[in-house]
Amino acid sequence: MAVLLPLLVLGLSLFLVWQGWISLRVDSIGGDASQNLRSAMNLWQHGVYGESLNPVEAGYRREPLPNWILAAHLKWLVRAPVGLPYADLVADPDLLTRTMQVNLVYLLALFLSLWGLCVRLIRPGWLAHLVAVVVIYFSDNAFAADQLTTLNTELPAALMMTLTALAFVLLRQRHHSGWAILAGLVFGGLVLTKASGSYLALVLLPLIPFLLNHSRRRSLALGLCVALGFALAVLPWVARNLIEFGKPAIARGGADVLMIRSVYNQMTPHEFRGAFYFFAPERLQKDFFEPYLGFSETQRECGGSLERLSRSLPCDERAFAEGREGDVKSFYQIGKRVLPAQIRAQTVMSGIKTPGDVVQQGVALDRIRAAPLKHVLVSLPLSWQALWTFRNQMTWFGVIANGLAMTSLLAMPALGVMWRKPEWVLISIVPVGYFLFYGLFSHFIPRYSEPLIPLSLVCLSLLLLEVIRRVGAPLADRYARGGGR
């Protein structure tokens, strides 16, 4: 048993990676993924990081770590011809598929990290291996298998988030400064993959010493080592952007998301209630909201009372085609296209030389400050939308598993404090921080919360085992006192 169970975990991991490899076929690439690919190609071919092609210019539109890895993959594993134009690569399905094979590395590393995390958190060892099998299988089924055909950063973010959780747990268990610096480096790698974590670090890094099982002085020293590792990972890139672009940032692009988010604050009370129907899984819509709460699919269409919650409406596309931007209904389209176009036009007319994204971010923040309470309230239905992020939601099993896993993750920091389980806090505080941040400062589409899926399954497993222990132990004692009767 001691040998067979680890072999089972390793065999499942390798099988799922092999299955992904034989089924991988890519014919096209999406918008965000294309920016990542262009950034990686420029770094590989010209030694310049940035998404601009003609001419090649330095930039920081996308987070760098996944694209550094992609550039190395293009150079050493894909072995594409040097000087290959971007248009030729994306037009060649064979080259594009070989490019996407970088995701298989992330996939295997994610599975091994989840396995390691289960082994560090669960006793006895045989149970840890069994839980790892379940977590790895459903992580692939609910999330990872769909990520193999894209260069979006959700899969590497899931890996870095899991590695961060594992590094924090190892730090608590081993109390060594080397592990502390490593934990900081890994957390920094996560921030270089999903830049929103840079804001969370300001809150989370000071909390780390309080979660370490050691003397106050030793915990503080280890916390400072974590901060040092984080700084070593992040500050060189921030300094590069400050020197080259005058902005101490990791990535650019938050202005677009913030503007879209500010528009959602225009929800009426009816739209606020309806958003919980609109953003629910289809199974929940059809079997609960429509028959019992009176909602209907026609409310989601053009002219319906919930039309503004839709990301894409045929009537909006006609309005754009006919130059009637003032008739656009969708909150998303207004924030994505209508308001930015108006701001750009006003900036040109007034002769303002401030970069457009800075002006747009300022306008978005002004809109949010105008109604801060409503902004917080609107975060509730948007967070409800992001809660439903598992791939398979067509069955009630998928919906229930999704709901239980994500709820377990969100509850884990509070449960860890209440039940005095600091490891629970350490593995969940970063993903929960991302969740809360996205809920407040983005329109929080489910894609943003996809990297949380693997850790949510770990949290659900831990919570179920704890419930079984708490319920089962008293029952066993009662049975023993009753003489087995």
Side-chain angles (χ1 to χ4, degrees):
M1 184 71 73
V3 176
L4 289 179
L5 285 176
L7 287 177
L8 175 63
V9 182
L10 183 60
L12 173 65
S13 301
L14 293 174
F15 172 76
L16 292 174
V17 173
W18 174 78
Q19 191 177 53
W21 179 67
I22 62 172
S23 62
L24 186 59
R25 184 68 178 173
V26 185
D27 298 315
S28 61
I29 189 170
D32 288 351
S34 67
Q35 293 176 1
N36 290 326
L37 181 55
R38 293 198 303 270
S39 298
M41 289 189 70
N42 284 338
L43 184 61
W44 159 47
Q45 295 179 336
H46 307 286
V48 176
Y49 186 87
E51 74 280 1
S52 176
L53 290 178
N54 295 306
V56 173
E57 294 179 339
Y60 64 110
R61 177 68 179 83
R62 310 299 304 181
E63 291 90 343
L65 182 58
N67 297 330
W68 293 340
I69 296 172
L70 180 58
H73 175 70
L74 288 167
K75 181 177 181 178
W76 291 318
L77 296 179
V78 175
R79 296 187 179 276
V82 177
L84 175 73
Y86 169 80
D88 290 354
L89 190 153
V90 297
D92 186 330
D94 180 60
L95 274 178
L96 199 55
T97 298
R98 283 157 56 193
T99 299
M100 296 292 176
Q101 287 173 353
V102 68
N103 290 323
L104 298 175
V105 178
Y106 292 131
L107 187 66
L108 180 59
L110 174 63
F111 293 159
L112 296 179
S113 301
L114 289 169
W115 185 12
L117 191 59
C118 290
V119 168
R120 300 309 307 185
L121 291 171
I122 298 171
R123 291 290 183 271
W126 64 267
L127 182 59
H129 297 314
L130 288 179
V131 171
V133 167
V134 176
V135 168
I136 288 169
Y137 174 78
F138 282 104
S139 292
D140 184 73
N141 182 266
F143 162 65
D146 262 7
Q147 302 298 313
L148 300 182
T149 57
T150 179
L151 292 176
N152 291 338
T153 56
E154 277 63 44
L155 183 56
L159 168 61
M160 295 308 301
M161 209 167 280
T162 305
L163 284 174
T164 299
L166 179 57
F168 284 162
V169 170
L170 286 169
L171 171 59
R172 174 174 167 77
Q173 294 176 350
R174 299 194 174 181
H175 315 300
H176 192 277
S177 58
W179 284 106
I181 294 173
L182 179 62
L185 287 168
V186 174
F187 185 27
L190 170 60
V191 170
L192 292 176
T193 305
K194 287 294 182 182
S196 301
S198 59
Y199 301 101
L200 301 177
L202 299 174
V203 177
L204 298 183
L205 288 177
L207 292 178
I208 296 299
F210 298 99
L211 300 172
L212 301 179
N213 185 24
H214 218 285
S215 67
R216 181 177 301 178
R217 179 177 295 180
R218 182 61 177 163
S219 294
L220 179 59
L222 291 173
L224 290 174
C225 288
V226 173
L228 173 62
F230 180 85
L232 290 173
V234 173
L235 287 186
W237 183 250
V238 173
R240 176 259 192 188
N241 292 337
L242 178 61
I243 293 169
E244 292 202 31
F245 309 106
K247 197 164 184 179
I250 291 172
R252 181 175 59 84
D256 296 337
V257 172
L258 204 60
M259 179 59 74
I260 296 169
R261 177 63 178 83
S262 73
V263 178
Y264 275 92
N265 289 347
Q266 298 174 357
M267 279 188 195
T268 65
H270 173 74
E271 288 169 330
F272 180 89
R273 294 189 299 272
F276 291 94
Y277 157 71
F278 194 98
F279 296 137
E282 184 178 351
R283 186 80 279 139
L284 205 53
Q285 290 174 342
K286 299 298 183 186
D287 293 353
F288 177 72
F289 280 96
E290 291 178 6
Y292 295 108
L293 299 182
F295 290 98
S296 69
E297 191 171 349
T298 58
Q299 292 175 277
R300 303 155 55 95
E301 301 170 355
C302 290
S305 62
L306 302 177
E307 63 177 351
R308 297 200 298 176
L309 299 175
S310 176
R311 282 170 59 94
S312 180
L313 292 167
C315 49
D316 281 353
E317 292 306 315
R318 289 194 298 271
F320 280 120
E322 296 168 6
R324 297 182 289 105
E325 286 79 6
D327 293 336
V328 172
K329 304 297 184 183
S330 165
F331 288 143
Y332 177 82
Q333 297 297 337
I334 291 172
K336 179 74 173 178
R337 299 166 66 179
V338 176
L339 288 180
Q342 293 175 356
I343 292 170
R344 285 193 297 268
Q346 292 170 1
T347 301
V348 171
M349 289 178 60
S350 60
I352 296 175
K353 296 184 179 180
T354 305
D357 60 330
V358 175
V359 176
Q360 184 172 317
Q361 183 169 324
V363 172
L365 288 172
D366 288 342
R367 293 167 59 92
I368 291 171
R369 292 191 195 103
L373 179 59
K374 188 170 185 181
H375 180 80
V376 173
L377 289 175
V378 168
S379 298
L380 297 177
L382 293 179
S383 298
W384 166 261
Q385 172 185 221
L387 192 73
W388 306 106
T389 189
F390 280 35
R391 181 174 64 156
N392 182 10
Q393 298 177 2
M394 298 307 296
T395 65
W396 270 107
F397 174 80
V399 171
I400 293 171
N402 184 162
L404 287 176
M406 293 300 287
T407 303
S408 298
L409 172 66
L410 296 176
M412 195 59 60
L415 293 174
V417 172
M418 184 172 65
W419 290 344
R420 297 183 179 180
K421 293 181 176 294
E423 288 90 351
W424 287 20
V425 182
L426 286 169
I427 68 170
S428 59
I429 191 170
V430 172
V432 169
Y434 270 93
F435 190 94
L436 296 175
F437 182 88
Y438 286 139
L440 280 172
F441 298 109
S442 79
H443 50 302
F444 213 177
I445 56 177
R447 195 187 100 192
Y448 293 176
S449 57
E450 285 177 348
L452 282 58
I453 291 175
L455 281 179
S456 77
L457 291 166
V458 174
C459 291
L460 175 59
S461 301
L462 291 173
L463 187 56
L464 288 176
L465 290 175
E466 183 66 16
V467 169
I468 291 171
R469 185 186 71 81
R470 287 174 176 264
V471 173
L475 291 177
D477 289 343
R478 187 180 304 171
Y479 182 80
R481 287 195 301 269
R485 295 191 296 273

